[in-house]
Amino acid sequence: MNYVETEIIRNGKVLSEGVLKVDSFLNHAIDPHLMTKIGEEFSERFKGDGITKIITIESSGIAPALMTSIQLNCDLVFARKRKSLTMLDQLYTAKVYSFTKQQTNEISISKEFLNRDDHVLIIDDFLANGQAALGLIDIVKQAGASIAGVGIVIEKSFQPGRELIENKGYKIESLARISSLKNGKVTFVSDKKVTDSSPSAVRSI
Ligand code: 5GP
């Protein structure tokens, strides 16, 4: 079990078979030491990929994305869920249906901060149905930029997000992969692999 998984077991709360609450270290309170390690791990997995910019969505993607941008020494920009009064025009936008809030937001990034020379790493806190990541992919394409891959802190592997992104041919790296939240218990993809004693399963970060 890696340290993101350990943190989930220690402090995560299973709200239902589909939703995990991690307000104590990722979605409300933020554990800076954990974020530092997360930045180092994403950097390790994507270094050498020529990334010039990280993009994420406010608000919970910002902390892991910031720590990764420090490690990769690249720029960072986050998509806004609400347009600010100062963002009058020149925006790339995409519609994103939120799994947890059950509402559609229009996310936007100013054209000023994304251009065709960028090679982009997309980072987010959770991957569920893949709508947030697909919205960001759409925005990168509108800018004519290229995509290095997608980095996710917590992936719910029993939902279709990973498959949708992989089917588009993008590299995806998730630090914790949850295979089930049934019966109030978190099970990881790596738990199953360890039981199967597959050597590749025992991966610590
Ligand atoms: P997707 O677009 O992949 O369906 O969902 C990704 C977004 O929904 C994440 O940015 C995250 O904010 C939120 N999300 C999805 N599932 C969960 C969950 O189980 N717990 C929490 N805390 N957020 C989630």
Side-chain angles (χ1 to χ4, degrees), residues 140-176:
V140 176
K141 283 188 172 163
Q142 290 174 41
S146 54
I147 294 166
V150 178
I152 298 292
V153 180
I154 302 174
E155 171 190 315
K156 291 183 292 179
S157 306
F158 56 90
Q159 291 174 320
R162 169 176 279 264
E163 199 183 342
L164 288 171
I165 291 164
E166 280 181 338
N167 285 347
K168 286 183 176 285
Y170 299 119
K171 170 177 171 179
I172 171 163
E173 293 283 347
S174 302
L175 305 190

Side-chain angles (χ1 to χ4, degrees), residues 88-143:
L88 294 177
D89 48 21
Q90 304 291 310
L91 300 174
Y92 298 115
T93 62
K95 288 208 176 355
V96 170
Y97 179 76
S98 164
F99 174 82
T100 41
K101 302 202 175 88
Q102 310 229 318
Q103 68 184 37
T104 301
N105 287 309
E106 188 171 69
I107 60 166
S108 49
I109 288 183
S110 169
K111 291 188 178 177
E112 191 184 342
F113 299 124
L114 194 58
N115 59 64
R116 60 175 59 250
D117 299 330
D118 281 319
H119 193 48
V120 177
L121 170 61
I122 291 167
I123 297 245
D124 206 4
D125 59 335
F126 266 87
L127 179 67
N129 294 306
Q131 297 308 297
L134 290 174
L136 290 171
I137 288 170
D138 185 8
I139 281 180
V140 176
K141 283 188 172 163
Q142 290 174 41

Side-chain angles (χ1 to χ4, degrees), residues 4-14 20-26 31 34:
V4 178
E5 293 172 339
T6 303
E7 192 67 29
I8 292 169
I9 295 296
R10 275 200 200 128
N11 294 315
K13 293 194 174 58
V14 177
L20 176 70
K21 181 170 170 161
V22 289
D23 279 11
S24 65
F25 61 93
L26 183 60
D31 179 338
L34 184 73

